[in-house]
Amino acid sequence: MSTLESVIWHVLGYSAMPVIILSGFAIVAAISLWLLSLSKDKEID
C-alpha cells in the first residue's frame, strides 16, 4: 500500500469514529424523545 493510500485510510478511519458516535447519540436521543412524547399528558387545561 502506498503512502497516499495509507493516509487516505487513516483519514477515513479517524473521521468515521466521531460520525458513528454522534449519529448513535442522535438516534438514541430521537427514540427517547419519541417514547417520552407517547407517555406525556395530552390534556390541556
Coordinates of all heavy atoms in Angstrom, one line a residue:
M1 N 0.9 -1.2 0.0 CA 0.0 0.0 0.0 C 0.9 1.2 0.0 O 1.8 1.3 0.8 CB -0.9 0.0 1.2 CG -1.9 1.1 1.3 SD -3.4 0.9 2.3 CE -2.7 0.2 3.8
S2 N 0.5 2.2 -0.9 CA 1.4 3.4 -1.0 C 1.1 4.3 0.2 O 0.2 4.1 1.0 CB 1.1 4.1 -2.3 OG -0.2 4.7 -2.2
T3 N 1.9 5.3 0.3 CA 1.8 6.3 1.4 C 0.5 7.0 1.3 O -0.2 7.3 2.3 CB 3.0 7.3 1.4 OG1 4.2 6.5 1.4 CG2 2.9 8.2 2.5
L4 N 0.1 7.4 0.0 CA -1.2 8.1 -0.2 C -2.4 7.3 0.2 O -3.3 7.8 0.9 CB -1.3 8.5 -1.7 CG -2.6 9.2 -2.1 CD1 -2.7 10.5 -1.3 CD2 -2.6 9.4 -3.6
E5 N -2.4 6.0 -0.1 CA -3.4 5.1 0.3 C -3.5 5.0 1.8 O -4.6 5.0 2.4 CB -3.3 3.7 -0.3 CG -3.6 3.6 -1.8 CD -3.2 2.3 -2.4 OE1 -2.2 1.7 -2.0 OE2 -4.1 1.8 -3.2
S6 N -2.4 4.9 2.4 CA -2.3 4.8 3.9 C -2.9 6.1 4.5 O -3.7 6.0 5.5 CB -0.9 4.6 4.3 OG -0.8 4.5 5.7
V7 N -2.5 7.2 4.0 CA -3.0 8.5 4.5 C -4.6 8.5 4.4 O -5.3 8.9 5.3 CB -2.4 9.7 3.9 CG1 -3.1 11.0 4.2 CG2 -0.9 9.7 4.3
I8 N -5.0 8.2 3.2 CA -6.5 8.2 2.9 C -7.2 7.3 3.9 O -8.2 7.6 4.5 CB -6.8 7.8 1.4 CG1 -6.3 8.9 0.5 CG2 -8.3 7.5 1.2 CD1 -6.3 8.5 -0.9
W9 N -6.7 6.1 4.1 CA -7.4 5.1 5.0 C -7.4 5.6 6.5 O -8.3 5.4 7.2 CB -6.8 3.7 4.9 CG -7.3 3.0 3.7 CD1 -6.6 2.6 2.6 CD2 -8.7 2.6 3.4 NE1 -7.4 2.0 1.7 CE2 -8.7 2.0 2.1 CE3 -9.9 2.7 4.1 CZ2 -9.8 1.5 1.6 CZ3 -11.0 2.2 3.5 CH2 -11.0 1.6 2.3
H10 N -6.3 6.2 6.9 CA -6.2 6.8 8.2 C -7.2 7.9 8.4 O -7.9 8.0 9.4 CB -4.8 7.3 8.5 CG -3.9 6.2 9.0 ND1 -3.1 5.5 8.1 CD2 -3.7 5.6 10.2 CE1 -2.4 4.5 8.7 NE2 -2.8 4.6 10.0
V11 N -7.3 8.8 7.4 CA -8.3 9.9 7.5 C -9.7 9.4 7.5 O -10.5 9.9 8.3 CB -8.1 10.9 6.3 CG1 -9.2 11.9 6.2 CG2 -6.7 11.6 6.4
L12 N -10.0 8.4 6.7 CA -11.3 7.8 6.7 C -11.6 7.2 8.0 O -12.7 7.3 8.5 CB -11.5 6.8 5.5 CG -11.6 7.4 4.1 CD1 -11.6 6.3 3.1 CD2 -12.9 8.2 4.0
G13 N -10.7 6.5 8.5 CA -10.9 5.8 9.8 C -11.1 6.7 11.0 O -12.0 6.5 11.8
Y14 N -10.3 7.8 11.0 CA -10.4 8.7 12.2 C -11.6 9.6 12.0 O -12.2 10.1 13.0 CB -9.1 9.5 12.3 CG -8.0 8.8 12.9 CD1 -6.8 8.6 12.2 CD2 -8.1 8.2 14.1 CE1 -5.8 7.9 12.8 CE2 -7.1 7.4 14.7 CZ -5.9 7.3 14.0 OH -4.9 6.6 14.5
S15 N -12.1 9.9 10.8 CA -13.3 10.7 10.6 C -14.6 9.8 10.8 O -15.6 10.4 11.1 CB -13.3 11.4 9.3 OG -13.3 10.4 8.2
A16 N -14.5 8.5 10.6 CA -15.7 7.7 10.8 C -16.0 7.5 12.2 O -17.2 7.4 12.6 CB -15.4 6.3 10.1
M17 N -15.1 7.5 13.1 CA -15.4 7.3 14.5 C -16.3 8.3 15.1 O -17.3 8.0 15.7 CB -14.1 7.1 15.3 CG -13.4 5.8 15.1 SD -11.9 5.6 16.2 CE -10.7 6.5 15.2
P18 N -16.0 9.6 15.0 CA -16.9 10.6 15.6 C -18.3 10.6 14.9 O -19.3 10.8 15.5 CB -16.2 12.0 15.4 CG -14.9 11.7 14.8 CD -14.8 10.2 14.5
V19 N -18.3 10.3 13.6 CA -19.6 10.3 12.9 C -20.4 9.1 13.5 O -21.7 9.3 13.7 CB -19.4 10.1 11.4 CG1 -20.7 9.8 10.7 CG2 -18.7 11.3 10.8
I20 N -19.9 8.0 13.7 CA -20.6 6.8 14.3 C -21.1 7.2 15.7 O -22.3 6.9 16.0 CB -19.7 5.6 14.2 CG1 -19.5 5.1 12.8 CG2 -20.3 4.5 15.1 CD1 -18.4 4.1 12.7
I21 N -20.2 7.8 16.5 CA -20.6 8.1 17.9 C -21.7 9.1 17.9 O -22.7 9.0 18.6 CB -19.4 8.6 18.6 CG1 -18.4 7.4 18.8 CG2 -19.8 9.2 20.0 CD1 -17.0 7.8 19.4
L22 N -21.6 10.2 17.1 CA -22.6 11.3 17.1 C -23.9 10.8 16.5 O -25.0 11.2 17.0 CB -22.0 12.5 16.4 CG -20.9 13.2 17.0 CD1 -20.4 14.3 16.1 CD2 -21.3 13.8 18.4
S23 N -23.9 10.0 15.4 CA -25.1 9.6 14.9 C -25.8 8.6 15.8 O -27.0 8.6 15.9 CB -24.9 8.9 13.5 OG -24.0 7.8 13.6
G24 N -25.1 7.8 16.5 CA -25.7 6.9 17.5 C -26.3 7.7 18.6 O -27.4 7.4 19.1
F25 N -25.6 8.7 19.1 CA -26.2 9.6 20.1 C -27.5 10.3 19.6 O -28.5 10.3 20.4 CB -25.2 10.7 20.5 CG -25.8 11.7 21.5 CD1 -25.9 11.4 22.8 CD2 -26.1 13.0 21.0 CE1 -26.4 12.3 23.7 CE2 -26.6 13.9 21.9 CZ -26.8 13.6 23.2
A26 N -27.5 10.7 18.4 CA -28.7 11.4 17.8 C -29.9 10.4 17.7 O -31.0 10.8 18.0 CB -28.3 12.0 16.5
I27 N -29.6 9.2 17.3 CA -30.6 8.2 17.2 C -31.2 7.8 18.5 O -32.5 7.8 18.7 CB -30.1 6.9 16.4 CG1 -29.8 7.3 15.0 CG2 -31.1 5.8 16.5 CD1 -29.0 6.2 14.2
V28 N -30.4 7.6 19.5 CA -30.9 7.3 20.9 C -31.7 8.5 21.4 O -32.7 8.3 22.0 CB -29.7 7.0 21.8 CG1 -30.1 6.9 23.2 CG2 -29.1 5.6 21.4
A29 N -31.2 9.7 21.2 CA -32.0 10.9 21.7 C -33.3 11.0 21.0 O -34.3 11.3 21.6 CB -31.2 12.2 21.4
A30 N -33.4 10.8 19.7 CA -34.6 10.8 18.9 C -35.6 9.8 19.4 O -36.8 10.0 19.6 CB -34.4 10.7 17.4
I31 N -35.1 8.5 19.6 CA -36.0 7.5 20.1 C -36.5 7.8 21.5 O -37.7 7.6 21.9 CB -35.3 6.1 20.1 CG1 -35.1 5.7 18.6 CG2 -36.0 5.0 20.8 CD1 -34.2 4.5 18.5
S32 N -35.6 8.3 22.4 CA -36.0 8.7 23.8 C -37.1 9.8 23.7 O -38.1 9.7 24.5 CB -34.8 9.2 24.6 OG -33.8 8.1 24.6
L33 N -36.9 10.8 22.9 CA -37.9 11.9 22.9 C -39.2 11.3 22.3 O -40.3 11.7 22.8 CB -37.4 13.0 22.0 CG -36.3 13.8 22.6 CD1 -35.8 14.8 21.5 CD2 -36.8 14.6 23.8
W34 N -39.2 10.4 21.4 CA -40.4 9.8 20.8 C -41.1 9.0 21.9 O -42.4 9.2 22.0 CB -40.1 9.0 19.6 CG -41.3 8.3 19.0 CD1 -42.3 8.8 18.4 CD2 -41.5 6.9 19.1 NE1 -43.2 7.8 18.0 CE2 -42.7 6.6 18.5 CE3 -40.8 5.8 19.6 CZ2 -43.3 5.3 18.4 CZ3 -41.4 4.5 19.5 CH2 -42.6 4.3 18.9
L35 N -40.4 8.2 22.6 CA -41.0 7.4 23.7 C -41.6 8.3 24.8 O -42.7 8.1 25.3 CB -40.0 6.5 24.3 CG -39.6 5.3 23.4 CD1 -38.5 4.5 24.1 CD2 -40.8 4.4 23.2
L36 N -40.9 9.4 25.1 CA -41.4 10.4 26.1 C -42.7 11.1 25.6 O -43.6 11.3 26.4 CB -40.3 11.4 26.5 CG -39.2 10.9 27.4 CD1 -38.1 11.9 27.5 CD2 -39.8 10.5 28.8
S37 N -42.7 11.4 24.3 CA -43.9 12.1 23.8 C -45.1 11.1 23.7 O -46.2 11.6 23.8 CB -43.6 12.6 22.4 OG -43.5 11.5 21.4
L38 N -44.9 9.8 23.7 CA -46.0 8.9 23.7 C -46.7 8.9 25.1 O -47.9 8.7 25.2 CB -45.6 7.5 23.4 CG -45.1 7.2 22.0 CD1 -44.7 5.8 21.9 CD2 -46.3 7.5 21.0
S39 N -45.9 9.1 26.2 CA -46.4 9.0 27.5 C -46.8 10.3 28.2 O -47.2 10.3 29.3 CB -45.4 8.3 28.4 OG -44.2 9.0 28.5
K40 N -46.6 11.4 27.5 CA -46.9 12.7 28.1 C -48.4 12.9 28.2 O -49.2 12.3 27.5 CB -46.3 13.9 27.3 CG -47.0 14.2 26.0 CD -46.4 15.4 25.4 CE -47.2 15.8 24.1 NZ -46.8 17.0 23.5
D41 N -48.8 13.8 29.1 CA -50.2 14.1 29.4 C -50.7 15.0 28.2 O -50.2 16.1 28.0 CB -50.3 14.8 30.7 CG -51.8 15.0 31.1 OD1 -52.6 14.4 30.5 OD2 -52.0 15.7 32.1
K42 N -51.7 14.5 27.5 CA -52.1 15.2 26.3 C -53.3 16.1 26.7 O -53.8 16.8 25.8 CB -52.5 14.2 25.2 CG -51.3 13.4 24.7 CD -51.7 12.7 23.5 CE -50.5 12.0 22.8 NZ -49.5 11.5 23.7
E43 N -53.7 16.2 27.9 CA -54.9 17.0 28.3 C -54.4 18.4 28.5 O -53.5 18.7 29.3 CB -55.5 16.4 29.6 CG -56.8 17.1 30.0 CD -57.4 16.4 31.2 OE1 -57.4 15.2 31.2 OE2 -57.8 17.1 32.1
I44 N -55.1 19.4 27.9 CA -54.8 20.8 28.0 C -55.9 21.5 28.8 O -57.0 21.3 28.5 CB -54.6 21.5 26.6 CG1 -53.5 20.8 25.8 CG2 -54.4 23.0 26.8 CD1 -53.4 21.3 24.4
D45 N -55.4 22.2 29.8 CA -56.4 22.9 30.7 C -57.0 24.1 30.0 O -56.3 25.0 29.6 CB -55.8 23.2 32.1 CG -55.5 22.0 32.8 OD1 -56.2 20.9 32.6 OD2 -54.6 22.0 33.7

